[in-house]
Amino acid sequence: MNSNRKGKEGERELANLLKEYGYGCRRGQQFCGSNGDADVVGLPGVHIECKRVEKLNLYAAVEQSRNDAREAEIPVVMHRKNRREWLVTMPLKEWMKMYER
């Protein structure tokens, strides 16, 4: 599978998984092309960078999410490898803000 197709399928998979938790999520790029949306939208206040790869530079992915996030959004990377569960990576400072709430 080529990486572009795998990325799109990962975004759809993640959006559908988040729907199972009751959130109206969808791929951010699916309707109007590159518009500055997150890879997956529908979690208020969270900017999701979705990565569906075997090898991932987490720091680069977090930086990408941080750079693309709007001012009030928490930058997160949701990622998984083949045959593995989804994980969430985010800056500790942002996680502590969420935890303290």
Side-chain angles (χ1 to χ4, degrees):
M1 178 181 313
N2 72 37
S3 61
N4 191 28
R5 182 171 154 220
K6 186 175 184 179
K8 288 177 184 178
E9 288 187 10
E11 291 168 3
R12 279 191 287 274
E13 177 187 340
L14 179 59
N16 288 331
L17 182 61
L18 294 171
K19 284 179 185 177
E20 291 177 16
Y21 285 92
Y23 295 97
C25 294
R26 63 172 174 79
R27 287 186 57 226
Q29 306 292 326
Q30 67 183 343
F31 295 115
C32 37
S34 183
N35 59 3
D37 275 347
D39 290 340
V40 175
V41 298
L43 290 182
V46 177
H47 182 92
I48 299 172
E49 187 64 37
C50 177
K51 299 293 185 186
R52 181 69 179 76
V53 296
E54 294 306 297
K55 294 186 180 201
L56 175 60
N57 181 334
L58 280 174
Y59 284 95
V62 169
E63 191 63 27
Q64 180 181 359
S65 185
R66 182 181 280 141
N67 289 339
D68 293 346
R70 293 181 176 96
E71 189 171 324
E73 291 179 322
I74 297 168
V76 302
V77 179
M78 296 187 181
H79 53 98
R80 84 172 186 88
K81 294 180 177 188
N82 290 337
R83 298 174 294 283
R84 301 301 292 263
E85 67 184 323
W86 282 95
L87 300 175
V88 178
T89 300
M90 60 192 294
L92 176 64
K93 181 174 134 181
E94 299 297 335
W95 189 86
M96 290 305 298
K97 287 179 194 176
M98 287 177 49
Y99 183 76
E100 290 171 352
R101 290 184 202 153

